[in-house]
């Protein structure tokens, strides 16, 4: 009799480029509902599984690992970010964790670029103006936004996506590039003439601040009232990384009180924002529903890597993109 296929739980339908291979190779239970499985259901579904394909909406922690059981070998996250997973706990238990870097770098930088220009040039506000029937004539004093050409971009987190965003700003608008990161990036300094600066200098000098940092205990809430106060009143804040990097009520107050000019967000805290949250109602806040990686090639690439990670982990082999290798 053929060996039984390994049991896996796939917490959402992902592109066929990865899903079909997991279904073929495994005894796969796929959660096909549009909303994530409720916590209790998730904990039931993972029981006895050797592998789990998770999304950033699933909290993968000690309780999750306990519910799954000691046979769990691999958690393959369908995202480059893995702040939803307790990596230390996974490592302690010998569970491999995979992620999906690179394939979404350009798509995410494109979204940061789109949000920057949309917020700086008041594109969405203009569209609402038309939809509300308020457009009566061409207005010499109306809808005035911020210039982009040869301004200064401040990149917080000069990793792959930060670098791709900096390249767009330098190449597209000849911007001066400042960056803040734990590590110096020789590549950014040589290729883009980027300058490594302390956070306060970046906030004070930048016309646009785009955050591309990981979410962790050090970075959580780094964009708070004090940070927004240090920024220019004409500045635009862009966040395509994780919502909790900014303090949402402080961002609201900075935008409503004119501390900064505008914001472009692909992420919020929480996601989606509470219906009572006033932030989405502000005309100078452009918000997209966490769609930076939503292009055909990025999502297919993510699905392929996520499937590779899961299948390799089930076989006890090195993952293609292995978060806790070391
Ligand atoms: C990620 O990959 O971390 C994004 O936030 C979703 O694509």
């Amino acid at each position: 009799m053929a060996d039984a296929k390994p049991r896996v739980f796939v917490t959402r339908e992902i592109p066929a480029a990865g899903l079909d291979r997991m279904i073929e190779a495994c005894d796969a239970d796929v959660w096909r509902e549009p909303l994530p499985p409720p916590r209790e259901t998730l904990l039931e579904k993972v029981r006895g599984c050797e592998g789990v394909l998770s999304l950033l909406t699933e909290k993968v922690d000690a309780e999750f690992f306990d519910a799954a059981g000691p046979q769990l070998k691999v958690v393959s996250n369908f995202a480059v970010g893995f702040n939803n997973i307790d990596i230390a706990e996974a490592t302690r238990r010998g569970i491999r964790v995979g992620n999906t870097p690179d394939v979404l770098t350009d798509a995410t930088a494109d979204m940061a670029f789109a949000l920057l220009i949309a917020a700086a040039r008041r594109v969405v506000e203009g569209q609402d103006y038309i939809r509300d029937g308020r457009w009566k004539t061409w207005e010499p004093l109306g809808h005035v936004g911020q210039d982009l050409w040869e301004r200064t971009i401040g990149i917080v987190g000069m990793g792959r996506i930060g670098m791709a965003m900096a390249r767009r700003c330098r190449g597209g608008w000849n911007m001066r590039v400042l960056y803040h990161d734990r590590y110096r990036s020789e590549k950014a300094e040589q290729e883009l003439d980027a300058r490594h600066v302390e956070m306060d200098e970046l906030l004070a000098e930048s016309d646009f601040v785009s955050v591309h940092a990981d979410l962790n205990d050090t970075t959580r809430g780094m964009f708070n009232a004090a940070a927004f106060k240090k920024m220019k009143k004409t500045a635009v804040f862009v966040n395509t990384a994780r919502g909790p990097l900014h303090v949402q009520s402080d961002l609201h107050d900075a935008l409503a009180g004119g501390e900064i000019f505008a914001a472009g967000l692909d992420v919020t805290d929480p996601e989606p924002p509470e219906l009572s949250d006033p932030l989405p109602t502000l005309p100078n806040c452009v918000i997209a529903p966490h769609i930076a990686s939503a292009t055909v090639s990025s999502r297919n690439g993510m699905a392929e890597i996520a499937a590779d990670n899961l299948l390799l982990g089930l076989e006890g082999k090195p993952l293609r993109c292995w978060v806790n290798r070391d």
Side-chain angles (χ1 to χ4, degrees):
M1 202 177 82
D3 286 346
K5 291 179 176 180
R7 265 185 65 197
V8 302
F9 182 53
V10 179
T11 68
R12 214 86 85 262
E13 197 169 341
I14 65 165
L19 189 62
D20 289 354
R21 285 171 45 223
M22 294 187 290
I23 292 174
E24 170 80 32
C26 309
D27 171 9
D29 182 1
V30 183
W31 182 259
R32 293 185 188 267
E33 302 296 321
L35 293 181
R39 181 73 178 170
E40 282 312 311
T41 310
L42 175 70
L43 298 182
E44 266 166 42
K45 291 278 185 186
V46 297
R47 186 157 305 131
C49 285
E50 289 181 54
V52 177
L53 185 302
S54 57
L55 266 60
L56 48 87
T57 39
E58 277 80 58
K59 193 169 176 209
V60 178
D61 56 3
E63 183 187 38
F64 176 104
F65 297 132
D66 285 343
Q71 76 299 323
L72 182 66
K73 294 181 179 151
V74 57
V75 174
S76 172
N77 214 34
F78 183 74
V80 64
F82 44 82
N83 56 288
N84 56 310
I85 301 178
D86 185 340
I87 299 294
E89 188 60 31
T91 307
R92 206 176 59 73
R93 296 176 187 231
I95 298 164
R96 291 164 195 220
V97 177
N99 71 337
T100 64
D102 297 322
V103 287
L104 45 63
T105 298
D106 286 314
T108 305
D110 286 344
M111 180 57 72
F113 199 75
L115 289 167
L116 193 166
I117 196 164
R121 296 302 308 273
R122 306 172 66 169
V123 176
V124 177
E125 203 184 324
Q127 184 170 31
D128 288 346
Y129 191 72
I130 297 170
R131 286 190 169 151
D132 295 349
R134 286 182 285 141
W135 187 21
K136 303 291 181 223
T137 185
W138 188 83
E139 297 163 58
L141 301 179
H143 315 284
V144 176
Q146 302 299 329
D147 289 291
L148 299 144
W149 180 248
E150 296 194 335
R151 294 304 195 261
T152 298
I153 178 79
I155 302 281
V156 178
M158 190 57 101
R160 287 173 287 239
I161 299 172
M163 181 73 186
M165 175 61 168
R167 278 200 183 107
R168 282 156 175 72
C169 293
R170 180 77 176 167
W173 294 311
N174 203 26
M175 285 195 192
R176 177 167 79 118
V177 180
L178 302 180
Y179 75 101
H180 180 77
D181 197 295
R182 271 177 307 163
Y183 306 106
R184 294 282 290 264
S185 165
E186 257 182 53
K187 189 149 81 163
E189 293 181 19
Q190 281 170 11
E191 186 185 318
L192 307 173
D193 208 14
R195 198 153 65 80
H196 184 259
V197 292
E198 290 305 319
M199 197 60 187
D200 279 1
E201 185 177 346
L202 182 141
L203 295 173
E205 291 274 313
S206 299
D207 298 299
F208 310 105
V209 175
S210 191
V211 56
H212 303 279
D214 292 342
L215 175 63
N216 55 45
D217 290 345
T218 329
T219 59
R220 184 177 298 276
M222 71 191 298
F223 285 95
N224 54 17
F228 293 124
K229 271 200 172 53
K230 291 176 186 160
M231 287 168 62
K232 296 182 181 180
K233 293 215 179 316
T234 50
V236 174
F237 171 69
V238 176
N239 187 357
T240 52
R242 285 290 181 267
L245 291 166
H246 65 247
V247 177
Q248 198 135 307
S249 53
D250 290 0
L251 176 58
H252 169 272
D253 293 350
L255 288 166
E259 296 284 355
I260 62 172
F261 180 75
L265 309 175
D266 187 48
V267 288
T268 60
D269 183 26
E271 288 183 2
E274 306 288 352
L275 290 177
S276 57
D277 186 341
L279 186 74
T281 67
L282 292 178
N284 55 347
C285 188
V286 179
I287 311 186
H290 205 147
I291 57 173
S293 67
T295 69
V296 174
S297 76
S298 292
R299 288 284 164 87
N300 283 341
M302 290 166 71
E304 281 169 20
I305 299 175
D308 283 346
N309 285 340
L310 186 89
L311 299 178
L312 289 166
L314 290 172
E315 289 179 33
K317 293 187 177 155
L319 308 194
R320 181 167 156 194
C321 302
W322 192 354
V323 173
N324 57 349
R325 180 199 300 261
D326 303 319

